[in-house]
Amino acid sequence: MARPRKPLLSTGRIVEAARALVDAEGLAALSTRRLAAALGVSGPSLYNHFGTKDELLDAVADSVSARVDLSMFDDGRPWRTALDDWAHSYRAALARHPHLAPVLARGPGRRPAALRLADAVFGALTEAGWPPAQATSIGAALRWYVVGSALGSFAGGFVPDESAYDPADYPHLGQAHLLAERGGTVDERAFTTGLRALLDGFEKQYAELGAAGS
């Protein structure tokens, strides 16, 4: 029997193609027609794997969550160190697929990888002694912070045109035109600064929790 000329259509292949399309052109570009053309198949054949576009989008978003490292929650790292390492891994995964950040911002829903992520964070916190309600709040705060950082670049929001920042109107923005060209460094430093502040606050609460229990 002759081999098929094209790779057999699979769920994984569809997800990879859809993710590549969204990465290149944004969420609005994802359609059955565009995806089928990219895969070299007919549109209806996609429905053998995904009943709706929302199901496909969930799978694509979950493929990003699946790339977040969770090993720090299993190897004995202190809860603060684990959260710090996890937040950086989570941000790195989102940074590679920024167009999917709005989908991930909606929460895990029924997506397996996203639920495993939530379970790992919550489990690490409760096992460290955090009450469940506070563990939930910490997990939510960190997810908002990480996903929010992926929704756009702070530095990239400024234009590299010095004349846009007339000192008569903006006396404190004399260097703002330099931000865009230094975007990666500025954004990374801002993320690390904010994350440290959050973790410092959580650590203070944790110490107070221990004092109250003694």
Side-chain angles (χ1 to χ4, degrees), residues 30 35 64 67 77 80 86 90 93 120 122-123 142 156 162 168 171 178:
L30 184 60
L35 185 56
V64 176
R67 297 183 175 193
R77 274 174 254 189
R80 174 177 175 142
W86 164 74
Y90 194 8
F122 182 77
L142 286 173
E162 190 172 2
L178 300 175

Side-chain angles (χ1 to χ4, degrees), residues 87-112:
H88 279 94
S89 177
Y90 194 8
R91 180 170 179 261
L94 290 176
R96 290 190 288 270
H97 309 283
H99 292 308
L100 287 163
V103 182
L104 291 162
R106 300 173 194 164
R110 297 176 181 272
R111 299 193 295 269

Side-chain angles (χ1 to χ4, degrees), residues 60-156:
V60 174
D62 214 35
S63 72
V64 176
S65 295
R67 297 183 175 193
V68 180
D69 182 16
L70 299 178
S71 64
M72 67 284 296
F73 298 119
D74 296 322
D75 60 11
R77 274 174 254 189
W79 66 267
R80 174 177 175 142
T81 302
L83 288 180
D84 192 13
D85 293 341
W86 164 74
H88 279 94
S89 177
Y90 194 8
R91 180 170 179 261
L94 290 176
R96 290 190 288 270
H97 309 283
H99 292 308
L100 287 163
V103 182
L104 291 162
R106 300 173 194 164
R110 297 176 181 272
R111 299 193 295 269
L115 288 170
R116 283 193 292 272
L117 187 154
D119 181 73
V121 173
F122 182 77
L125 288 167
T126 54
E127 288 171 10
W130 285 97
Q134 286 176 277
T136 299
S137 296
I138 291 170
L142 286 173
R143 190 175 69 80
W144 286 338
Y145 180 67
V146 175
V147 175
S149 75
L151 289 173
S153 164
F154 170 79

